[in-house]
Amino acid sequence: MNLIDPIVRFYLSHNRLCWVGLIFIFMAVFFRLDRLKVQLLPNLTPLKYFVTTPFPNHSAEDVDLTLSLPMSNRISSVNSVKGLKTNSVHGKSTIEIELQLGAPILEFKEELYQLLSEIRDELPNGVGVPKVMVGSEFRNPFFEFTVNPNLIRNKSQISASIDQLRYKIERISGVIEVIQIGDLKPSLLVSFNESKLNLLPLKVRDLEYQITAGLQTGSLGKLLEVNQDVEIKFDSEIKSLAELQKFPIHLGDGKWIPIEDIADVSLATLPSDQIIGTNGEGTVYFGVLVDPTKDPLKISNQILHILKENQSSLHPKVFYDSSRELKSQINQFVFFLIISLFSALVFSYLSYKEWLPVICLFVSVIFSLVYFFHFLVFFSLSINLLSLSGISVGIGMLFDANNLIYYSIQSSWKDQKDKLVAVSHGIRHVIISLFSSGFTTMVVIFPLLFYVHEWQDFFYDIGLSIVLLVFSSLLTSVTVVPLFVFTFAAKVSNKSASESPTLFIWNGNTKWKMSKKGSFIFFLLFGIYIFHSIGWDSKKFQIFPKPNSIGKMVQFTPKVRLGMNEERFFIQEIRNKFKKLDHNLDVLILPILSDGGSIPHQYAIPFLIKWFSDGNSNIELDLSESIDPTRWNLQWMDLPSELFLSLPFVPYDSVVVSHDDLENLIHWEKEFQSLSERMAEGRFAFLPSPITLKTWKSIPFLNSELSPDLDDLKLRVSLTNVPNYIGMVGIQNPMPLYFEFKNMNRLQSNQTSNLLPNFKSASKESIFPDTLFQMEEKQSYSEFRRESGRFYLEWIGDWDIKSQLTQLHQNGFHYVIRSEKKEMISFFLILMILLVCSFLFIYLTLVGIFESFFRPAVYLMMSILYSFVVISFLFLFVSQIHFGHYMGLVVLIGLSLDSISLFGERWEETKKLHNISDRINHIFNWMKKPVILNAGSTFFGLLPVVMISFPGSEFVRAIAVTICIGILVSAYFVFKIYPIVFSKYLNARV
């Protein structure tokens, strides 16, 4: 290591210059803080895309056949598409696209958008614009809050204050959309009386055209006069409720009739506003959607600042802030950092009995963090929920290299009078072991970072954070520690360097006390235990610990047509029950807008109740028992955290059964349900509900005067249930105007009937359609799902009737079994293969360092034995093993090679001693202190992470637990196993 001497001389001769450089590096942190990326989650490559397309006023069956199926057939031709699923419901089509691993995202998106643009002309009339969503169909708002402006005395300021609040939030950089429900603005609703309208020569289109014409306003141009320009403008005939009531409907031949004579004109409140009002009179809800690549902390603070400004007027109430997850993780990181540093420094002081080494280690750790910050910026690595996990664990490892360098310099200085020689000799003593350890840790993690698999992006930030921290610690140990010694250290005291209690004493007569037969029996029994754990306790393994949910949500869907008044009364009863079960629970009630909540009518719509806490565990049972199942359908769901939504996939046991005919599939489902109670435990992910489709077909007729206006019939039928939007009434405070038909209860009858509403012929004569149309009735379903063009049902849970599955193929069925256990085995098998590749890379690296094939092989075998023992203890003491323990094991491999290399270097230096016991005692006299220091500082640095549990810290604790177990095992290996192995296999070769 001739390179060490000139570097050390440079430190000594340009000591102040080096410190100035370090100070500049430290100060650069403050100038580069704005370049540090902060995100809620890293930029994960999406594996799924969703294409949603509206198709209003069409049944699920029509959507499936005319929209979902043709679109999916075209999308399947796009490159990189692995699989397709379609979901067709009334008025909406959703296509789920699964991509192949390593797919070029930019090329796929470009080809997908090009295809959607090309097929627009091929889709049926009335189809809306397709919308592409990335990652997950479920999209939780980043920030949710409500305001209650009812306390404002000047009611005219309410709308202006709310609009100003929304405007300020929309102007925040990174905000994509602000969802507002409950704008406190009424709507105008014109309800035409069908019986009166039938007596008049008017069609629905005539009414719509005349009202629309009455709303129009505009300019006819300018007239040039002598002194000035004059603009001629025509004004709207309808600017208020009173003018709308008196607005004349022209019947022809100079006759007219005011709207109020044939319709009820009133102010109406949207059903969505009425449901929001159950949270408090006048309540307005806001949901903020943001760009996931932007700084969530900054956006959250800006929103909170705006809400604080409006606290006195709008009384905002925050229900959910996604940045709380990241804030919680940052608080945990800061807490663990302080506690870990304090514990490690206290242990260092108790070991050194001096303050100078402790101060040196503290300064070194600070500069390690400074180096790490610059590496974060250089590699564009963000601070997020995942990278913080790796950083939290890596902090406890920052002492190892610095401790070892300082102690080696201190030991060399004891025998050398020249400080330059002592520092140079001390660094050369341990640089190979440090390089081997640091490079080994990096090499073990690199295959995980670059091998293409579903979890690559998810684990990338965690692994790269650990690699950068290890490299930062290595860099600090050869820069800051020597500089600190040159600047502040005086002659080392003999006590500090030599006196230390001997915790482990080598006995030259120590031999294996277990015979070969006994060893074989021991490992055989232990192997049986391991395989028993793997084979029978599949829940022992998880890919990633499932993050806790952030709350609960329950959806209420009316099964029959209910009035809005009844729904409000029902919601109030639910609120009272929640208060009775848990008076501290703060619930939020929201309408489901996709089901007609934004159109004024008096019918109940689906709604949901969610709360962002655990709540009373009996709420679900008590609430379900008190709801009438014939009137309301309940669906309970956990509110997933942002971390859970980012998981590439969550393995579970399921069976997907598909068939070309949905009726056969439903028939099989009914047969299976009768067997499921005794043969399987689980549930179907979805089941289509049967519905009745009534189809009216015209009867051929010859009288041209009775030619029916089918457009008038369609409009009358659709306006029965869904009011039609006409336009805005007024200029300063515009109100939306809708019109509908009422008193058409015939369509609500459960009895089979071929009666249609009266409508107009081409000559505007009333027609009784019984003789012109006949009705056909057939059974259909509320939902149609396909996978690769075939209808499918998915059973989630245990399946114990495999004998029946083999018979399904004979009847045209196909099935796919997805096993959680197999997914786990496949995942951990990939990890083991990557680990083997890592060991191969490590071996080749060590061959290059030591210029030997045998010595690295022995080192590697000891490291593998060490890893096996650590894994064994994990099986014994850990209830669930997942990727966090694997990351801890990866770190331990590097630490084990550090101690092995350190022992090997001392073994080589003492080869002149012929007595093995003297040789090993000489090694222990030098190694005991750095080994205890490294083990103790790392162990006590990670102990707070193990002992103190926070929500969301399961992954970090798993890494810390593994490392702590490995440190204890490593101490035993250093003082018991390594001497035996080196004495037996390397005594003659080194």
Side-chain angles (χ1 to χ4, degrees):
M1 287 291 179
N2 295 328
L3 186 62
I4 299 297
D5 292 336
I7 294 177
V8 172
R9 290 193 188 94
F10 183 83
Y11 289 161
L12 182 61
S13 58
H14 301 86
N15 186 268
R16 291 177 178 82
L17 177 62
C18 293
W19 278 112
V20 169
L22 289 176
I23 292 173
F24 278 145
I25 293 175
F26 182 82
M27 294 176 60
V29 172
F30 300 98
F31 295 97
R32 304 186 73 188
L33 278 175
D34 58 330
R35 298 188 181 182
L36 180 63
K37 296 170 60 177
V38 180
Q39 298 175 256
L40 195 61
L41 293 166
N43 298 325
L44 304 174
T45 302
L47 297 177
K48 290 184 179 180
Y49 281 79
F50 292 85
V51 180
T52 58
T53 309
F55 197 8
N57 302 324
H58 284 76
S59 65
E61 185 174 351
D62 290 340
V63 172
D64 174 65
L65 294 175
T66 62
L67 181 59
S68 298
L69 191 58
M71 284 188 67
S72 63
N73 291 335
R74 292 295 304 274
I75 293 176
S76 63
S77 63
V78 177
N79 291 327
S80 305
V81 173
K82 180 180 179 181
L84 287 172
K85 290 182 179 180
T86 64
N87 181 17
S88 304
V89 295
H90 180 84
K92 181 182 176 182
S93 165
T94 302
I95 301 176
E96 178 185 332
I97 306 173
E98 184 180 358
L99 300 184
Q100 298 174 355
L101 288 179
I105 300 300
L106 293 179
E107 296 180 9
F108 164 76
K109 291 172 65 176
E110 182 179 353
E111 190 173 352
L112 176 63
Y113 286 124
Q114 180 67 26
L115 177 64
L116 294 179
S117 176
E118 292 176 356
I119 65 176
R120 283 285 297 156
D121 296 335
E122 303 175 11
L123 300 179
N125 293 329
V127 173
V129 179
K131 181 180 179 182
V132 179
M133 299 179 64
V134 182
S136 174
E137 192 177 11
F138 179 84
R139 194 176 188 183
N140 200 36
F142 170 80
F143 201 98
E144 292 182 279
F145 67 95
T146 60
V147 297
N148 192 344
N150 268 350
L151 299 179
I152 298 179
R153 295 182 180 180
N154 189 352
K155 299 300 181 181
S156 62
Q157 296 180 355
I158 293 180
S159 180
S161 300
I162 293 178
D163 291 341
Q164 186 67 16
L165 173 66
R166 178 170 183 169
Y167 174 74
K168 289 181 179 179
I169 295 178
E170 287 176 336
R171 286 177 58 86
I172 297 175
S173 176
V175 172
I176 298 176
E177 182 183 357
V178 178
I179 303 172
Q180 178 182 344
I181 306 177
D183 57 5
L184 304 180
K185 297 177 181 178
S187 302
L188 289 172
L189 180 62
V190 179
S191 300
F192 287 98
N193 190 307
E194 179 193 357
S195 58
K196 293 181 180 180
L197 200 60
N198 288 337
L199 302 177
L200 301 177
L202 289 173
K203 296 182 181 180
V204 177
R205 289 296 184 192
D206 297 333
L207 294 172
E208 183 178 355
Y209 173 77
Q210 293 189 43
I211 296 176
T212 302
L215 294 173
Q216 291 179 352
T217 181
S219 175
L220 297 178
K222 293 184 178 180
L223 294 180
L224 298 180
E225 296 189 356
V226 178
N227 296 326
Q228 62 182 359
D229 294 340
V230 176
E231 181 180 357
I232 299 179
K233 184 179 180 180
F234 66 93
D235 200 3
S236 171
E237 298 181 58
I238 304 174
K239 293 182 291 186
S240 64
L241 174 61
E243 291 182 353
L244 178 61
Q245 292 174 331
K246 301 298 182 181
F247 182 75
I249 298 297
H250 297 276
L251 306 177
D253 298 330
K255 298 179 181 179
W256 60 273
I257 186 172
I259 285 184
E260 62 182 356
D261 287 353
I262 57 175
D264 294 330
V265 182
S266 60
L267 294 174
T269 303
L270 297 179
S272 59
D273 292 358
Q274 297 185 51
I275 290 180
I276 286 293
T278 58
N279 296 285
E281 186 178 355
T283 297
V284 180
Y285 164 84
F286 287 91
V288 183
L289 303 179
V290 304
D291 185 351
T293 63
K294 300 299 182 181
D295 186 348
L297 301 181
K298 184 178 180 181
I299 296 175
S300 175
N301 291 334
Q302 289 178 326
I303 295 176
L304 291 173
H305 178 71
I306 294 174
L307 297 183
K308 187 177 180 180
E309 291 178 346
N310 295 271
Q311 180 65 41
S312 59
S313 58
L314 297 178
H315 306 281
K317 182 178 181 180
V318 178
F319 280 90
Y320 177 62
D321 181 1
S322 293
S323 67
R324 290 175 181 171
E325 289 187 51
L326 183 58
K327 291 177 182 177
S328 175
Q329 286 280 47
I330 293 176
N331 291 336
Q332 292 179 31
F333 166 72
V334 174
F335 176 79
F336 288 145
L337 174 62
I338 295 174
I339 298 298
S340 299
L341 286 179
F342 177 78
S343 303
L345 291 174
V346 168
F347 182 84
S348 299
Y349 175 76
L350 295 176
S351 300
Y352 281 105
K353 306 297 183 182
E354 289 183 283
W355 282 109
L356 188 64
V358 177
I359 296 174
C360 178
L361 293 176
F362 177 75
V363 173
S364 301
V365 170
I366 296 300
F367 273 97
S368 296
L369 295 176
V370 170
Y371 288 152
F372 177 67
F373 169 83
H374 290 294
F375 286 133
L376 284 180
V377 176
F378 179 79
F379 286 98
S380 298
L381 192 66
S382 65
I383 299 295
N384 55 65
L385 291 174
L386 299 180
S387 62
L388 280 174
S389 301
I391 298 172
S392 299
V393 174
I395 292 299
M397 302 162 52
L398 294 180
F399 283 88
D400 292 355
N402 298 302
N403 248 329
L404 189 57
I405 287 287
Y406 186 88
Y407 177 76
S408 181
I409 293 174
Q410 188 185 56
S411 300
S412 299
W413 202 358
K414 180 185 66 172
D415 302 324
Q416 300 288 340
K417 295 182 179 180
D418 192 317
K419 183 185 294 187
L420 176 64
V421 176
V423 173
S424 179
H425 187 266
I427 295 177
R428 285 201 305 269
H429 261 235
V430 296
I431 192 64
I432 293 181
S433 63
L434 285 179
F435 179 78
S436 301
S437 171
F439 192 76
T440 297
T441 303
M442 300 177 196
V443 166
V444 174
I445 294 179
F446 280 156
L448 191 67
L449 302 183
F450 299 111
Y451 175 75
V452 178
H453 56 99
E454 292 93 337
W455 295 81
Q456 179 185 13
D457 291 340
F458 189 83
F459 294 142
Y460 184 85
D461 284 28
I462 301 174
L464 188 57
S465 298
I466 295 177
V467 168
L468 294 179
L469 276 168
V470 171
F471 184 75
S472 300
S473 176
L474 183 63
L475 188 61
T476 307
S477 65
V478 296
T479 56
V480 177
V481 174
L483 275 174
F484 190 92
V485 172
F486 279 135
T487 306
F488 300 104
K491 179 65 178 178
V492 64
S493 64
N494 292 330
K495 177 182 177 180
S496 175
S498 59
E499 295 182 8
S500 180
T502 303
L503 300 181
F504 298 91
I505 300 177
W506 165 260
N507 183 357
N509 296 323
T510 300
K511 296 181 180 180
W512 292 100
K513 295 184 179 180
M514 186 178 293
S515 64
K516 292 183 179 180
K517 183 178 180 180
S519 301
F520 174 78
I521 295 175
F522 171 78
F523 284 109
L524 178 63
L525 294 176
F526 191 79
I528 293 174
Y529 168 77
I530 297 296
F531 282 109
H532 176 269
S533 300
I534 297 176
W536 296 98
D537 190 7
S538 60
K539 301 301 181 182
K540 181 85 173 178
F541 295 93
Q542 291 291 329
I543 296 178
F544 192 86
K546 182 179 179 181
N548 295 326
S549 61
I550 59 176
K552 290 280 189 179
M553 179 172 67
V554 55
Q555 291 186 359
F556 295 82
T557 304
K559 289 186 174 181
V560 295
R561 171 157 288 186
L562 305 175
M564 197 65 215
N565 292 332
E566 180 180 348
E567 183 173 29
R568 288 201 306 271
F569 179 77
F570 173 75
I571 293 176
Q572 190 58 46
E573 286 186 332
I574 297 297
R575 286 186 65 90
N576 294 335
K577 185 170 290 291
F578 269 101
K579 290 181 180 180
K580 182 179 179 181
L581 294 173
D582 191 346
H583 65 279
N584 294 322
L585 195 62
D586 206 0
V587 299
L588 177 63
I589 304 174
L590 296 176
I592 300 178
L593 294 180
S594 60
D595 293 292
S598 57
I599 299 175
H601 56 72
Q602 295 303 314
Y603 304 117
I605 64 172
F607 68 95
L608 61 87
I609 301 177
K610 59 181 177 180
W611 58 95
F612 299 96
S613 62
D614 294 335
N616 191 329
S617 58
N618 297 324
I619 287 180
E620 181 173 350
L621 179 61
D622 294 344
L623 193 61
S624 301
E625 292 178 349
S626 62
I627 302 301
D628 186 355
T630 62
R631 303 178 71 82
W632 292 94
N633 180 49
L634 272 67
Q635 184 178 1
W636 292 87
M637 291 177 288
D638 290 328
L639 286 176
S641 64
E642 294 296 328
L643 185 59
F644 180 79
L645 291 176
S646 68
L647 297 178
F649 66 90
V650 179
Y652 56 89
D653 292 323
S654 69
V655 177
V656 177
V657 181
S658 61
H659 197 277
D660 291 327
D661 188 359
L662 183 59
E663 292 295 337
N664 289 337
L665 196 61
I666 297 298
H667 179 70
W668 167 84
E669 176 266 328
K670 293 179 179 179
E671 290 183 349
F672 170 73
Q673 291 281 30
S674 62
L675 302 173
S676 62
E677 292 185 2
R678 69 175 186 273
M679 305 190 71
E681 295 181 359
R683 60 181 178 83
F684 280 102
F686 64 92
L687 285 175
S689 302
I691 61 173
T692 301
L693 285 181
K694 296 181 179 181
T695 305
W696 287 280
K697 293 186 177 181
S698 60
I699 300 174
F701 52 88
L702 300 177
N703 190 347
S704 60
E705 295 181 357
L706 295 179
S707 177
D709 189 339
L710 297 181
D711 181 62
D712 188 70
L713 174 61
K714 293 177 182 177
L715 287 174
R716 286 173 179 257
V717 173
S718 63
L719 289 173
T720 303
N721 300 319
V722 182
N724 188 28
Y725 173 75
I726 299 297
M728 302 298 293
V729 176
I731 298 177
Q732 293 184 350
N733 296 308
M735 293 182 292
L737 174 62
Y738 297 83
F739 78 97
E740 66 174 356
F741 276 26
K742 65 177 183 179
N743 296 331
M744 293 179 63
N745 296 324
R746 288 186 299 267
L747 296 178
Q748 304 171 20
S749 174
N750 294 326
Q751 298 178 357
T752 302
S753 173
N754 62 347
L755 293 179
L756 283 171
N758 295 341
F759 64 105
K760 301 297 179 179
S761 66
S763 59
K764 299 184 179 181
E765 298 292 335
S766 292
I767 296 179
F768 297 93
D770 297 353
T771 57
L772 301 180
F773 293 89
Q774 63 181 4
M775 187 195 73
E776 293 182 0
E777 185 176 300
K778 72 171 186 176
Q779 297 297 318
S780 185
Y781 297 95
S782 61
E783 183 178 13
F784 290 81
R785 297 201 185 192
R786 296 177 185 257
E787 182 173 11
S788 300
R790 297 168 60 91
F791 297 106
Y792 77 96
L793 290 175
E794 183 177 15
W795 172 264
I796 299 177
D798 296 331
W799 185 283
D800 195 26
I801 52 173
K802 294 183 179 180
S803 58
Q804 291 193 5
L805 291 178
T806 56
Q807 302 175 1
L808 288 178
H809 283 299
Q810 303 174 2
N811 300 321
F813 288 88
H814 294 274
Y815 67 89
V816 177
I817 299 178
R818 295 168 181 169
S819 171
E820 179 182 5
K821 182 179 178 180
K822 290 183 178 179
E823 293 281 357
M824 296 296 177
I825 294 176
S826 174
F827 177 78
F828 282 98
L829 184 61
I830 291 176
L831 292 185
M832 293 305 298
I833 294 175
L834 294 179
L835 192 61
V836 171
C837 295
S838 300
F839 276 119
L840 178 61
F841 294 151
I842 293 171
Y843 175 73
L844 296 177
T845 303
L846 295 179
V847 168
I849 293 175
F850 296 111
E851 296 292 338
S852 169
F853 289 99
F854 182 76
R855 185 177 176 184
V858 175
Y859 284 12
L860 209 59
M861 291 306 298
M862 285 190 287
S863 180
I864 293 174
L865 177 62
Y866 167 78
S867 303
F868 179 77
V869 174
V870 173
I871 293 174
S872 304
F873 278 104
L874 287 176
F875 272 97
L876 291 174
F877 299 113
V878 177
S879 60
Q880 191 178 79
I881 295 177
H882 50 74
F883 181 77
H885 300 96
Y886 177 84
M887 289 299 297
L889 183 64
V890 164
V891 174
L892 287 175
I893 292 174
L895 296 179
S896 68
L897 285 172
D898 179 20
S899 60
I900 295 172
S901 300
L902 197 62
F903 195 100
E905 289 191 36
R906 303 289 79 75
W907 183 265
E908 185 177 3
E909 290 179 357
T910 59
K911 60 185 177 182
K912 294 182 179 180
L913 298 176
H914 299 289
N915 188 286
I916 298 298
S917 298
D918 294 340
R919 191 174 181 182
I920 293 177
N921 283 329
H922 187 275
I923 294 174
F924 280 168
N925 286 334
W926 191 95
M927 282 193 62
K928 61 187 177 184
K929 191 165 186 176
V931 169
I932 295 173
L933 277 171
N934 285 347
S937 59
T938 304
F939 182 85
F940 287 103
L942 293 175
L943 192 60
V945 183
V946 177
M947 302 300 294
I948 304 174
S949 177
F950 288 103
S953 64
E954 295 84 3
F955 184 78
V956 179
R957 290 185 72 243
I959 302 178
V961 166
T962 306
I963 295 178
C964 287
I965 292 176
I967 289 172
L968 299 178
V969 175
S970 177
Y972 178 81
F973 265 64
V974 168
F975 296 104
K976 289 294 183 182
I977 304 301
Y978 295 168
I980 297 174
V981 175
F982 274 83
S983 301
K984 187 172 183 179
Y985 296 103
L986 293 174
N987 188 32
R989 292 178 176 268
V990 177

